[in-house]
Amino acid sequence: ASGYMTHHIVKHTTPMISGVCKLFASHMSVRGRPSLGFGCALQQALGLRPGEFMLLRKAHVMGPAFGGGRYIFRLGAFVSTKAKREQAAMLDPLEHPDIATILDMLLDVLEPEDFLVPYSYYVYSDSLAGFSDHLRVTTAFTPHGPRAGFATESISLGKNPIAVKDAGR
């Protein structure tokens, strides 16, 4: 391990906070990929891993009528999560009204087996790099950045670290 560390450069992801995710969402909408921008905002709001939100299908989402006022997302329904078991994430529409509104519109037009975000990890990564280039800033945004931004922003807003850890599974 020590020999590996002398030759391996650790690259840390840049946390992507909610405001930057919404800017990315606007950027993607103009570029013809609104669902990718929405996916980034959803990922950041829930602290989802890239593989978790990119595999979400309409059938994996329960609306507030069934979720006690919250949307419930079934994670790892067909492909296991990092925890090697099915998990769930919840979206409170009162906390994220903009995301809930867009989610409702998206769910109205999708078939049950349709992906919420029908793009690959590569397209997502490439889109984040293009976003940085468009802004003419050097960032290290990766598909994991919104998850890191979820934790960073939550802690900076004074949320209990244990609650943030639980929410991020």
Side-chain angles (χ1 to χ4, degrees), residues 16-26 28-29 33-48 53 73 91 95-96 98-100 102-103 117 124 128 143 145-147 149-150 153:
M16 192 177 216
I17 59 174
S18 59
V20 178
C21 280
K22 290 174 184 174
L23 182 60
F24 175 73
S26 298
M28 285 292 96
S29 292
R33 294 180 173 166
S35 64
L36 185 58
F38 165 75
C40 179
L42 178 69
Q43 179 191 11
Q44 199 279 335
L46 300 178
L48 299 174
F53 92 89
F73 298 85
L91 178 76
E95 189 175 343
H96 302 285
D98 49 350
I99 295 173
I102 295 169
L103 179 61
V117 182
Y124 187 25
L128 288 167
R147 178 173 165 83
F150 159 79
E153 189 169 8

Side-chain angles (χ1 to χ4, degrees), residues 96-155:
H96 302 285
D98 49 350
I99 295 173
T101 299
I102 295 169
L103 179 61
D104 281 335
M105 290 189 283
L106 189 57
L107 293 174
D108 280 345
V109 299
L110 294 177
E111 295 296 323
E113 293 306 311
D114 288 346
F115 288 101
L116 293 185
V117 182
Y119 295 99
S120 69
Y121 184 92
Y122 172 78
V123 169
Y124 187 25
S125 180
D126 195 49
S127 296
L128 288 167
F131 174 61
S132 297
D133 291 345
H134 178 78
L135 294 176
R136 296 185 181 132
V137 296
T138 303
T139 67
F141 291 139
T142 67
H144 200 78
R147 178 173 165 83
F150 159 79
T152 300
E153 189 169 8
S154 297
I155 298 297

